[in-house]
Every structure is written in C-alpha cells, then in structure tokens.
Amino acid sequence: MEKKIVVLAGDGIGPEIMASALEVLEVITQKSEVTFTFEAHDFGGAAIDSCGEPFPKSTLEACESADAILLGAIGGPKWENVENTPEKGLLALRKALKLFANIRPITVPDVLLDRSPIKEEIIKGTDFVIVRELTSGMYFGEPRFLGDTEAYDTNYYHEAEIRQIMRQAFKIAQGRKKQVLSVDKANVLATSKLWRRVAEEVALEFPDCTLSHQYVDSAAMKIIQNPRAFDVIVTENLFGDILSDEASVLPGTLGVLPSASYGETGIALYEPIHGSAPDIAGQNSANPVSMMLSASLMLRQSFGLETMADQIEEACFATMEAGLLTSDLGGTASTSAFTQAVIQRIQGEEK
Ligand code: NAD
Ligand code: IPM
Ligand code: MN
C-alpha cells in the first residue's frame, strides 16, 4: 500500500508534535507493506511568513491530491492583527475540501483518572463522541461586519447541511450505543429551531437509534456533571468548538484529544482539537499524544490499518501508565523523551 500524506505542521507546538507523530508513523510502517510519502506544505502563520498568505494555492492543490492530511495547529500572537489570519486559512481549507463533519472522540483512559480536576467516580468509563458541523453556521454565515461601534455575524444553516451532519451522527451512533443527542439553543435561535426539526426527520431514517435534544447551556453543565450519560453528541459548528474544549477537562488536558474531519471529497483531515499553544511553544514540553492519536485515527479510518492504529494507542497509554507524563498532566517528561518512549514500546512489541 502506497499513500501520500500531506503534512501541514503549522505554528507554535504544531511542528513539535507533528515531528513526534511522523516519527511514530515511520517506525510503525518500517517492516510493513505500507509506504507513506510525507509531503510537507506551508500553512497558517508559517505560510504567511514564507509566502504572504495562510493557505497558498500550492497547499490547496497538494491537499486535493492527498490520500489523507495531517494538521498540527495554526495561529499565534504574531499573526493576530494581519488581514488574512491563519484561522481564516484553516476555515478556507475546511471549506475547500468540504470537510463538513468533525469527529471528536472524548474518552478518559484509566491512566488519566487521577489527572482530571473532576472526581474519578464521575469520569471513569467516559466514552462519547462530539460530531461537530464544520463548514457552516456562525463561522461562515454572511453578512458579517466589524465597525467601530457595531459588529455582527450571521448564523446560517441550510436544511441540507443539517441533514448531512445528522446522518453522519446517526451512522456513527449505529456503531456505538445508538443514542444521539442533538444539542442546540432552540428556545431562542431560529437556526436551532430548524436544526431540531431536521434532526427529528433524520431520526426516522434510523429507527434503531434514539434521538434526544438538549439546550447547549444545559449540555455544557451535564458534560461535567455526568459525562458517562453521553454517546453521540451532534451540534453546530460554534457549540461543538466550545463543548469539545470543555470536554478536555475530563481526561485532564487538551493534549490527548485527536479529531478527524470528513467531507464530500473522500479526503479526510486529522488534527488535534487544541491550538498552537503559544504559551509553551519552543520548549519541547508539549504533549504529542493528541497528534499521535490523530495519526492513529488516520490509519484506522482512512486506510483500515487497525492493528497499527491500536499499536499507537496502546503505546501512548502504556507510556503514560509507566509514569512518563508531560507537564500538562503534571509530569516532567519532554516531548522528545515521551516520543522516544512510545517508539521503544512499539519496537519492543515488534521483536
Ligand atoms: P490552545 O488550544 O492553543 O491552548 C490552550 C491551553 O492548552 C494552553 O495553556 C496550552 O498550553 C494548552 N495545550 C494545548 N495543547 C497542548 C498540548 N498538546 N500539550 C500541552 N498543553 C497543551 O488555545 P489558545 O491558546 O486559545 O489558542 C492559541 C492559538 O491557537 C490561537 O491562535 C488560536 O486561534 C489557535 N487555535 C488553532 C487551532 C487549530 O489549529 N485547529 C485550534 C484551536 C486554537
Ligand atoms: C478548532 C479551533 C478553530 C475553530 C479556530 C482556530 C478557527 O478552535 O479547530 O477547534 O474554531 O474551529
Ligand atoms: Mn477550538
């Protein structure tokens, strides 16, 4: 199997954790039939610095011909005040590849039970998925305007966009506990009233699953109060962004949460849910697990390489189990020390 992986390392800790994940992928495929060609391209702030725009045409063309895309993270204080920000580049990439579904699995492995500020008995066994709509809603609605004394954004959803993400959520639920929770603000927002109606319609196509609804404010509370109650949460772009960062408090850090984005073209993108962490960039202290697990998701979902995907997951958890933790989890391990320990475990298993 030969595959082309487009690598967008990005900014801040992006290149640090990407280097870790690529090293792991190289080691894991070494003695296999799988050959990955990694093709690095400028993206985000790094691309602004090198060619004046966050999402150059050459990067788009590379992504369009990729078998899968790995993205580190983009953004940072250096590019906050430019016209065409790294964040705009990221939104343009998602839109260009029609990546409408962002899947964010939230689990708490036993090894992290005592790392969370939430009590162990509440988080033990947490295992749900946030299905975040990624190419519409408040992020893309027009018109938008920023004046000196006034500003506005538009939250827009078309029925077809809601139907598409709902179907994705139900399909995911069919492989799990078959419980879909649609999160909205239908007591206030017109978009949410449409969202709820379409959710009900799509539910009829999936009689083996249950659908319930919850307002986003209440869901935000329940995620912390009783996270085990959730199976599949489907929600609009902005709510999904916020709820998933909140959910990272359950495993104790953003640094262990991966994501996968799927679209209409068949090319999927894998990235951590967190950002470029400018506060710790350049210190060799970032937790690379989020990026390694994103690579593992790529192996599983894009290429069906289940065994290798499992190996990466197990090596990450076993390394943490052995007491090696980065500073976000209260430890002192550096990014590179953690990475080498994961690699040694993978190589140990192969012997
Ligand atoms: P952030 O997610 O970068 O960081 C939030 C906190 O989590 C920080 O304290 C950071 O140190 C910590 N953290 C995040 N990932 C970590 C890891 N792997 N290991 C250890 N600690 C980690 O959020 P922010 O600070 O609000 O945003 C910084 C920049 O990143 C902004 O420019 C933002 O727009 C951008 N951003 C990009 C993406 C993306 O590329 N997909 C996602 C979110 C934010
Ligand atoms: C994420 C990020 C992005 C988002 C930003 C950087 C545009 O927070 O991927 O979660 O809001 O989608
Ligand atoms: Mn976010």
Side-chain angles (χ1 to χ4, degrees):
M1 180 194 281
E2 276 187 44
K3 298 289 176 192
K4 180 176 117 175
I5 317 293
V6 163
V7 174
L8 310 175
D11 310 315
I13 62 167
E16 301 173 45
I17 60 174
M18 184 64 83
S20 299
L22 294 186
E23 215 179 321
V24 165
L25 285 173
E26 261 158 23
V27 167
I28 214 153
T29 52
Q30 232 160 34
K31 291 178 197 146
S32 75
E33 303 291 291
V34 182
T35 309
F36 287 141
T37 312
F38 298 112
E39 209 184 280
H41 286 271
D42 286 337
F43 189 57
I48 296 176
D49 289 350
S50 64
C51 49
E53 49 179 324
F55 185 32
K57 193 158 169 269
S58 52
T59 299
L60 169 63
E61 284 167 0
C63 289
E64 283 171 339
S65 68
D67 292 305
I69 303 163
L70 288 174
L71 169 63
I74 52 84
K78 186 177 175 190
W79 308 282
E80 254 164 29
N81 298 314
V82 300
E83 165 66 21
N84 207 357
T85 58
E87 287 79 2
K88 278 190 187 164
L90 178 59
L91 299 192
L93 168 64
R94 290 171 178 170
K95 198 71 172 177
L97 296 180
K98 302 187 169 68
L99 298 168
F100 67 88
N102 181 220
I103 313 303
R104 298 184 157 186
I106 311 290
T107 56
V108 181
D110 282 350
V111 53
L112 295 182
L113 279 176
D114 63 348
R115 300 290 103 192
S116 172
I118 319 284
K119 292 191 190 95
E120 281 193 34
E121 62 262 32
I122 290 178
I123 57 176
K124 190 172 168 54
T126 292
D127 178 3
F128 63 91
V129 181
I130 297 177
V131 179
R132 171 189 178 195
E133 197 291 322
L134 202 61
T135 48
S136 188
M138 193 77 100
Y139 280 64
F140 294 94
E142 295 288 348
R144 58 180 58 217
F145 172 72
L146 173 60
D148 289 336
T149 56
E150 285 181 309
Y152 50 79
D153 296 286
T154 299
N155 195 11
Y156 172 92
Y157 269 104
H158 192 281
E159 173 187 43
E161 294 169 330
I162 304 172
R163 205 172 292 280
Q164 195 176 37
I165 192 69
M166 279 300 158
R167 285 188 176 137
Q168 185 90 21
F170 276 96
K171 280 183 199 152
I172 290 170
Q174 282 182 320
R176 299 177 48 95
K177 288 190 258 165
K178 301 186 169 60
Q179 295 162 13
V180 175
L181 175 71
S182 172
V183 168
D184 62 33
K185 188 74 187 170
N187 48 348
V188 178
L189 301 177
T191 40
S192 282
K193 291 187 199 329
L194 181 67
W195 184 274
R196 213 173 254 229
R197 196 202 81 204
V198 176
E200 289 290 343
E201 287 170 14
V202 172
L204 300 175
E205 300 170 19
F206 298 87
D208 54 333
C209 296
T210 61
L211 169 69
S212 47
H213 306 275
Q214 197 163 14
Y215 298 133
V216 62
D217 45 356
S218 158
M221 182 273 290
K222 284 269 160 57
I223 281 175
I224 296 296
Q225 190 198 43
N226 187 16
R228 273 189 306 239
F230 298 94
D231 181 26
V232 175
I233 296 176
V234 59
T235 192
E236 66 170 270
N237 204 341
L238 182 62
F239 297 162
D241 180 45
I242 297 168
L243 292 181
S244 52
D245 268 35
E246 185 202 9
S248 78
V249 179
L250 304 168
T253 176
L254 279 166
V256 295
L257 294 182
S259 87
S261 301
Y262 305 113
E264 293 167 28
T265 68
I267 304 165
L269 180 149
Y270 299 88
E271 60 168 327
I273 79 161
H274 62 70
S276 59
D279 52 339
I280 58 163
Q283 296 173 7
N284 190 25
S285 71
N287 191 339
V289 169
S290 57
M291 195 69 238
M292 291 178 183
L293 295 184
S294 298
S296 164
L297 271 181
M298 174 186 80
L299 295 178
R300 198 184 299 285
Q301 305 291 352
S302 282
F303 308 131
L305 298 167
E306 296 281 343
T307 310
M308 288 185 194
D310 288 346
Q311 263 182 299
I312 295 181
E313 275 182 16
E314 283 158 19
C316 285
F317 297 141
T319 302
M320 292 191 274
E321 191 91 57
L324 219 62
L325 296 171
T326 42
S327 58
D328 54 328
L329 289 166
T332 55
S334 66
T335 309
S336 47
F338 187 91
T339 304
Q340 291 320 307
V342 169
I343 285 170
Q344 271 166 20
R345 282 197 180 266
I346 291 170
Q347 286 173 329
E349 265 171 42
E350 280 170 357
K351 274 178 204 143

